[in-house]
Amino acid sequence: MTTPMVKAEGVHKSFGAAHILKGIDLEVAPREVFCLVGPSGSGKSTFLRCINHLEQINAGRLWVDGQLVGYRQKGDKLYELKDSEVALQRRDIGMVFQRFNLFPHMTAIENVMEAPIQVKGEAKAVARARAEKLLDRVGLGDKTKNYPSQLSGGQQQRVAIARALAMEPKLMLFDEPTSALDPELVGDVLDVMRGLAEDGMTMIVVTHEMGFAREVGDALVFMDDGVVVESGHPRDVLTNPQQDRTKAFLSKVL
Ligand code: ADP
Ligand code: MG
């Protein structure tokens, strides 16, 4: 049996008295494109943030590639990892947000080179060569010297994807990567994500782009109010939803 790339077992997360994740169970296989959909406020971003150590879970277990996120287990006891150990786990996970969060004072290629140099201590020439390849791959080989302000939203988002890939992650998390884009710029970003999927990248994609989910997704989970309501192959869930909450949501977005 292959180790799941992500496994969640009974994951709970609260902010103060607000119970946001109420026992999430799911598995993401290696090389899978796993789509996470659901209404605003259902906890999708919170779940991604837990995978990427931006939030700590309150109960349950979360593993990435067989390693407990943030903890080491000895017997039945859990010990919190040191900051340096958490940093090592996070290095392997790329994240792309709705807002592109590029460094405004750096060119596209400098944005892509930054993390490998700063975090991995990589030589500049090596980081530059990889960044050139990655920008080429996302269709921006001719924009390497542009600053973010000189790029469209869709181009900035593709730089953000290249920047995440520069750390050679084993898992990519996308949190509504096209939601902030003008409609005519969405396609180029989805094409880049489709290419990544074809190359075998494991991806969790929070999206309202049901066309993408249907064509590229291998699995789809519908989440509402902090629980997994329904899951299955995207084609099955999208064309034949079983739960009323799923039907109600899909009738609004499809
Ligand atoms: P989604 O991404 O599905 O729209 P989120 O995970 O962003 O949902 O949010 C789920 C709920 O958690 C929302 O009600 C939101 O207000 C709340 N929430 C998210 N982050 C925090 C936080 N840091 N502090 C308090 N509440 C939060
Ligand atoms: Mg969100």
Side-chain angles (χ1 to χ4, degrees), residues 83-213:
D83 288 350
S84 59
E85 294 170 314
V86 168
L88 276 180
Q89 287 191 335
R90 290 196 67 197
R91 260 162 74 147
D92 289 336
I93 303 172
M95 188 151 179
V96 175
F97 301 88
Q98 185 172 339
R99 303 248 157 234
F100 338 115
N101 305 321
L102 297 177
F103 302 116
H105 59 289
M106 291 183 188
T107 62
I109 196 161
E110 287 166 353
N111 265 280
V112 180
M113 292 166 62
E114 178 71 6
I117 293 172
Q118 296 303 327
V119 179
K120 287 190 180 167
E122 196 166 81
K124 243 184 166 176
V126 176
R128 181 177 298 279
R130 186 194 305 99
E132 274 169 3
K133 268 196 210 136
L134 286 171
L135 285 171
D136 215 35
R137 177 168 171 191
V138 301
L140 295 172
D142 57 342
K143 302 270 190 258
T144 59
K145 295 201 173 69
N146 285 45
Y147 285 89
S149 61
Q150 300 167 324
L151 297 169
S152 73
Q155 290 169 336
Q156 289 183 56
Q157 191 60 301
R158 285 183 279 149
V159 175
I161 294 172
R163 183 175 62 173
L165 293 175
M167 289 296 282
E168 304 184 314
K170 56 188 175 193
L171 169 67
M172 285 284 284
L173 309 176
F174 291 89
D175 195 353
E176 300 199 32
T178 59
S179 297
L181 300 178
D182 292 333
E184 74 272 22
L185 304 177
V186 168
D188 288 340
V189 173
L190 292 180
D191 285 345
V192 166
M193 292 168 62
R194 193 185 309 262
L196 267 182
E198 281 164 7
D199 290 346
M201 177 61 77
T202 310
M203 306 163 46
I204 303 182
V205 184
V206 175
T207 186
H208 297 298
E209 295 289 337
M210 296 303 152
F212 176 86

